[in-house]
Amino acid sequence: MLKSIEKEIKMRQLYLNGAKISSIYFGGGTPSILNKGEIKNLINTIHNNFKIDSDAEITLECNPDDLDKKKLLELKEIGINRLSIGIQSFDDVDLKFMNRSHNAKEALSCIQFAKEAGFKNITIDLIYGLPNQSNESWKKNLALMLTLDIQHFSAYSLTVEPKTKLKHLIDKKLVTPLNDKITVEHFNTLLEIANENNFVHYEISNFGKEGFFSSHNTAYWKNKHYLGVGPSAHSFNGSSRQWNIASNKQYIEKVNEHDSYFEVEQLSNTQQYNEYIFTALRTIWGVELDYINNQFGSERLNYFKKQVIIWENKGKIKHDEGAYTLTKKGKLYADAIASDLFII
């Protein structure tokens, strides 16, 4: 797999047209199971085939149970400068329900170890809206996180996906999903506590201190070009998207045989417009009228102005200096609002 990924990196060195790379992100699984040498080889391969900013953000996704002091020092040594740790919760009851392999003590310890190893840019994931999760227990989760003095966190509401164990348990009446009203209460608590502690809510699910917004994810939301390598990885170059085959076995075979291992979709003007609306609306930068006019033309601009006023009148969108952003109330309806603004 690693040899195939290295081969793909070399094969795709022209995809970004020589642009300087400002962010490298090891994710989409559990890259922290790789050893020091394996990660270093991948970083070296990227450096040998692309121009990298001297202060590029290099993030590694990891689980608490993969991190010990030795591992963290090695990651720091080879150039990883940002950690994204899948904490999910600091409550053992929550972790057991989510079938996580770490416990609350390990979650706390790994963050402390990371700080001692010299990491100054740490982000964690938290989940709310769990069955039987009270607002008080959610507050305790957030309060504990705040004692750790980290720079960034992401918080996601639990979603029930088809063909999962959770969906099966709900269908069998063995688990009762949380009432929407309580999930909304969790979300409002989240916004309030984040604001009180100087975390900027810069995207629906993301909160960062000034200077610590995720450079990598911000590129997605701002429609910047990116290259993804490995099974299931997606890439975007402004006019098209492509995605690699999901099967590990087929990916390895096709890359090594120089066979086609990805699909490509050319994006129409309408598709690009809809994607811009969907991503931009989720952020503090919002949907910019000048951008719509310059990128998509006056017809699209007039359509947006006509549609957006409906949500503005409902108090779910606000307009300030040529940009439209969601209000606190509107953030609860982000997907519905975006889809209403789409051109179908």
Side-chain angles (χ1 to χ4, degrees):
M1 174 61 74
L2 292 171
K3 286 178 180 175
S4 299
I5 289 174
E6 286 178 29
K7 191 170 283 189
E8 187 189 0
I9 290 169
K10 294 171 185 174
M11 287 161 56
R12 301 188 66 187
Q13 61 178 270
L14 300 179
Y15 185 79
L16 297 173
N17 294 319
K20 261 197 168 183
I21 306 300
S22 61
S23 167
I24 300 169
Y25 194 101
F26 290 90
T30 316
S32 51
I33 65 169
L34 299 178
N35 65 38
K36 171 185 170 181
E38 291 166 337
I39 298 170
K40 188 176 181 180
N41 283 343
L42 288 173
I43 292 175
N44 287 343
T45 305
I46 295 168
H47 272 278
N48 291 337
N49 289 275
F50 294 89
K51 298 172 188 171
I52 313 296
D53 276 342
S54 57
D55 61 347
E57 175 188 278
I58 306 180
T59 306
L60 184 96
E61 277 188 4
C62 42
N63 289 326
D65 41 311
D66 292 329
L67 301 177
D68 56 28
K69 291 179 181 179
K70 180 175 180 288
K71 178 85 170 187
L72 286 159
L73 288 168
E74 289 176 346
L75 293 175
K76 191 81 170 56
E77 181 189 333
I78 60 176
I80 302 297
N81 55 30
R82 184 173 184 268
L83 295 176
S84 177
I85 308 175
I87 298 290
Q88 316 300 352
S89 177
F90 294 106
D91 186 312
D92 280 329
V93 173
D94 293 346
L95 291 169
K96 188 174 181 182
F97 171 77
M98 291 185 280
N99 201 29
R100 300 295 293 176
S101 55
H102 66 275
N103 58 38
K105 186 179 178 182
E106 287 172 324
L108 291 167
S109 295
C110 80
I111 294 172
Q112 191 56 45
F113 292 159
K115 290 168 70 176
E116 289 171 6
F119 284 96
K120 294 180 170 58
N121 194 349
I122 298 170
T123 181
I124 68 168
D125 290 350
L126 293 176
I127 294 180
Y128 60 92
L130 297 167
N132 301 318
Q133 185 183 36
S134 68
N135 198 43
E136 281 308 308
S137 68
W138 175 230
K139 280 182 181 177
K140 285 179 183 176
N141 239 325
L142 293 171
L144 193 48
M145 177 196 70
L146 292 170
T147 66
L148 301 170
D149 190 29
I150 58 173
Q151 297 75 31
H152 186 284
F153 72 96
S154 303
Y156 304 100
S157 174
L158 179 72
T159 54
V160 182
E161 300 289 349
K163 298 180 181 178
T164 60
K165 182 180 178 182
L166 179 56
K167 179 70 167 67
H168 173 75
L169 292 173
I170 289 171
D171 289 344
K172 292 287 185 182
K173 310 293 185 195
L174 297 172
V175 169
T176 304
L178 202 61
N179 182 287
D180 284 348
K181 186 178 177 183
I182 301 175
T183 302
V184 169
E185 189 180 5
H186 286 186
F187 183 70
N188 288 332
T189 295
L190 169 64
L191 300 195
E192 185 182 323
I193 290 176
N195 184 57
E196 287 171 355
N197 290 276
N198 301 315
F199 278 96
V200 180
H201 187 202
Y202 71 102
E203 193 272 342
I204 289 289
S205 303
N206 286 272
F207 303 78
K209 297 286 180 73
E210 287 288 355
F212 289 96
F213 298 174
S214 168
S215 172
H216 194 84
N217 289 349
T218 298
Y220 296 148
W221 303 319
K222 289 194 169 185
N223 246 26
K224 293 184 179 179
H225 302 182
Y226 56 87
L227 166 64
V229 297
S232 297
H234 281 235
S235 304
F236 172 65
N237 66 1
S239 60
S240 70
R241 290 198 182 281
Q242 65 183 66
W243 54 96
N244 289 355
I245 196 165
S247 162
N248 287 357
K249 183 175 182 290
Q250 289 182 47
Y251 168 80
I252 291 168
E253 288 172 356
K254 289 180 179 293
V255 166
N256 285 285
E257 292 167 5
H258 293 275
D259 195 0
S260 177
Y261 58 91
F262 56 82
E263 291 185 56
V264 179
E265 178 186 24
Q266 295 297 326
L267 299 173
S268 67
N269 185 272
T270 297
Q271 286 174 309
Q272 291 180 54
Y273 168 85
N274 288 346
E275 288 192 5
Y276 171 69
I277 296 299
F278 181 74
T279 53
L281 200 60
R282 294 175 63 89
T283 72
I284 56 170
W285 305 287
V287 175
E288 298 177 6
L289 296 181
D290 285 348
Y291 186 90
I292 294 178
N293 193 41
N294 294 335
Q295 293 292 319
F296 310 111
S298 58
E299 188 179 331
R300 301 278 191 256
L301 178 62
N302 291 333
Y303 175 85
F304 175 81
K305 284 180 175 178
K306 183 181 175 183
Q307 293 297 110
V308 79
I309 199 165
I310 300 167
W311 291 101
E312 199 174 359
N313 290 339
K314 291 179 180 179
K316 293 185 172 68
I317 283 185
K318 59 185 177 182
H319 177 210
D320 184 35
E321 295 183 4
Y324 286 81
T325 55
L326 296 170
T327 62
K328 181 181 177 182
K329 189 178 175 184
K331 288 172 182 175
L332 294 166
Y333 301 90
D335 289 352
I337 294 170
S339 64
D340 193 49
L341 297 172
F342 289 168
I343 295 172
I344 306 300

